[in-house]
Amino acid sequence: MRFSLRRESQHLVRQALFLPEASDYIASSATESLSLAQPVSTSPFVLGLQSQARKARMAINVGIHEPAERGARLKNTLIWIDDQGNIAQKYSKLHLFDVDLKDGPRLKESESVEAGSFILPPFPTALGNVGLLICFDLRFPEASLSLRRQGASLITYPSAFTVPTGKAHWSPLLRSRAIETQTYVVAAAQVGQHNDKRVSYGHSMAISPWGEVLAELDGTWGGEPELAFFDFDASLVEKVRREVPLLRRTDVYPQV
């Protein structure tokens, strides 16, 4: 599932492509996942995307795996490839997905993944200030509120959500993060059957700072990649924040 974001500035249209979490592969076991992880600098998958970004003059945001520096683990990483093909930013997932659902999947990401240790500050792009988060980070509003306080106008949540949790919480959580941070939220999502053990919910979404769903894919896998388009409007971010000011009582509770 893929998203393309466009921003119009006079007669110039700037675009960015948003791809899901773990776009390089989803393995059937932790052992297999570790064996497939490659350094970002030499990964054929990443090098190919860098080439395409350079050729199309379009930024690409994509989730990948990479070996961790310490021990036999990997990182769940999100990279921003700029329109020159350079890896401009890199973020490691903070919150790892450890669940054991009745009649559902048992997933222990912490058994093979090293958690990130910091929130990457929002960074300027032709589309505005972008903040990077991944999948399970969605359940923790502190991270998105921190990005909002630091000036983010768009926050990403590339994901591979499970079907039970996706049906229950995917849309409400995404809309909540957009409404409470007054930012655009972009969540490109894996969909369908990956192997005997993994199925992803899909339903890639883009949401406005007002909480309006601007684009959504239907969550069915027809065998071909899908694109959803939406327009980013920086003035809408300013309008929503001006008309519904969120004055936080940091004298009562801590600022994040």
Side-chain angles (χ1 to χ4, degrees), residues 192-204:
Q193 188 88 37
H194 306 292
N195 50 55
D196 291 342
K197 298 179 180 179
R198 286 292 302 276
V199 182
S200 289
Y201 178 64
H203 293 273
S204 298

Side-chain angles (χ1 to χ4, degrees), residues 169-244:
H169 299 147
W170 176 247
S171 179
L173 283 172
L174 287 170
R175 294 192 65 216
S176 294
R177 296 297 86 84
I179 292 167
E180 69 199 9
T181 62
Q182 299 174 315
T183 68
Y184 282 88
V185 163
V186 183
Q190 295 273 7
V191 64
Q193 188 88 37
H194 306 292
N195 50 55
D196 291 342
K197 298 179 180 179
R198 286 292 302 276
V199 182
S200 289
Y201 178 64
H203 293 273
S204 298
M205 299 180 76
I207 301 169
S208 81
W210 188 245
E212 176 187 5
V213 177
L214 302 174
E216 181 179 5
L217 299 177
D218 65 9
T220 59
W221 173 240
E224 295 293 333
E226 293 182 275
L227 280 171
F229 293 89
F230 73 99
D231 292 323
F232 174 93
D233 182 358
S235 66
L236 180 60
V237 178
E238 297 168 1
K239 180 177 185 292
V240 170
R241 293 178 181 180
R242 181 176 63 252
E243 294 181 353
V244 187

Side-chain angles (χ1 to χ4, degrees), residues 3 10 17 30 119 132 151 156 159 161 171 198 206 251-252:
F3 266 101
Q10 296 179 342
L17 177 66
I119 297 172
L132 303 182
T156 71
S159 298
F161 245 61
S171 179
R198 286 292 302 276
D251 60 321
V252 176

Side-chain angles (χ1 to χ4, degrees), residues 30-44:
T31 300
E32 182 185 13
S33 190
L34 286 165
S35 72
L36 293 172
Q38 299 187 48
V40 174
S41 61
T42 59
S43 164

Side-chain angles (χ1 to χ4, degrees), residues 3-253:
F3 266 101
S4 178
L5 176 152
R6 300 176 295 175
R7 177 182 179 176
E8 295 190 14
S9 176
Q10 296 179 342
H11 299 294
L12 179 65
V13 177
R14 299 186 182 276
Q15 299 188 56
L17 177 66
F18 293 82
L19 299 172
E21 175 187 27
S23 285
D24 47 358
Y25 62 84
I26 291 184
S28 58
S29 68
T31 300
E32 182 185 13
S33 190
L34 286 165
S35 72
L36 293 172
Q38 299 187 48
V40 174
S41 61
T42 59
S43 164
F45 177 74
V46 174
L47 291 172
L49 289 177
Q50 289 181 269
S51 175
Q52 291 302 311
R54 193 177 303 116
K55 185 181 300 183
R57 298 284 176 163
M58 180 173 65
I60 299 176
N61 185 224
V62 59
I64 59 169
H65 303 82
E66 64 172 329
E69 296 175 3
R70 300 184 299 275
R73 289 176 176 267
L74 51 80
K75 291 182 180 180
N76 187 328
T77 296
L78 183 58
I79 58 175
W80 183 271
I81 303 171
D82 67 21
D83 60 7
Q84 302 299 310
N86 302 310
I87 298 175
Q89 303 289 339
K90 189 166 70 167
Y91 163 76
S92 293
K93 186 176 182 181
L94 283 177
H95 303 95
L96 302 183
F97 188 56
D98 283 0
V99 298
D100 191 353
L101 299 176
K102 182 180 180 181
D103 301 322
R106 177 189 181 275
L107 296 172
K108 292 287 186 180
E109 197 172 16
S110 63
E111 291 179 350
S112 59
V113 177
E114 179 180 295
S117 57
F118 63 92
I119 297 172
L120 180 72
F123 52 91
T125 75
L127 303 166
N129 292 332
V130 174
L132 303 182
L133 295 171
I134 303 173
C135 199
F136 201 53
D137 290 335
L138 177 61
R139 294 186 178 274
F140 303 89
E142 295 87 351
S144 57
L145 289 172
S146 176
L147 290 172
R148 160 66 175 91
R149 180 180 59 80
Q150 296 179 74
S153 53
L154 184 151
I155 298 174
T156 71
Y157 289 103
S159 298
F161 245 61
T162 66
V163 173
T165 58
K167 287 180 177 179
H169 299 147
W170 176 247
S171 179
L173 283 172
L174 287 170
R175 294 192 65 216
S176 294
R177 296 297 86 84
I179 292 167
E180 69 199 9
T181 62
Q182 299 174 315
T183 68
Y184 282 88
V185 163
V186 183
Q190 295 273 7
V191 64
Q193 188 88 37
H194 306 292
N195 50 55
D196 291 342
K197 298 179 180 179
R198 286 292 302 276
V199 182
S200 289
Y201 178 64
H203 293 273
S204 298
M205 299 180 76
I207 301 169
S208 81
W210 188 245
E212 176 187 5
V213 177
L214 302 174
E216 181 179 5
L217 299 177
D218 65 9
T220 59
W221 173 240
E224 295 293 333
E226 293 182 275
L227 280 171
F229 293 89
F230 73 99
D231 292 323
F232 174 93
D233 182 358
S235 66
L236 180 60
V237 178
E238 297 168 1
K239 180 177 185 292
V240 170
R241 293 178 181 180
R242 181 176 63 252
E243 294 181 353
V244 187
L246 301 181
L247 305 177
R248 304 193 184 281
R249 287 293 306 273
T250 54
D251 60 321
V252 176
Y253 50 79

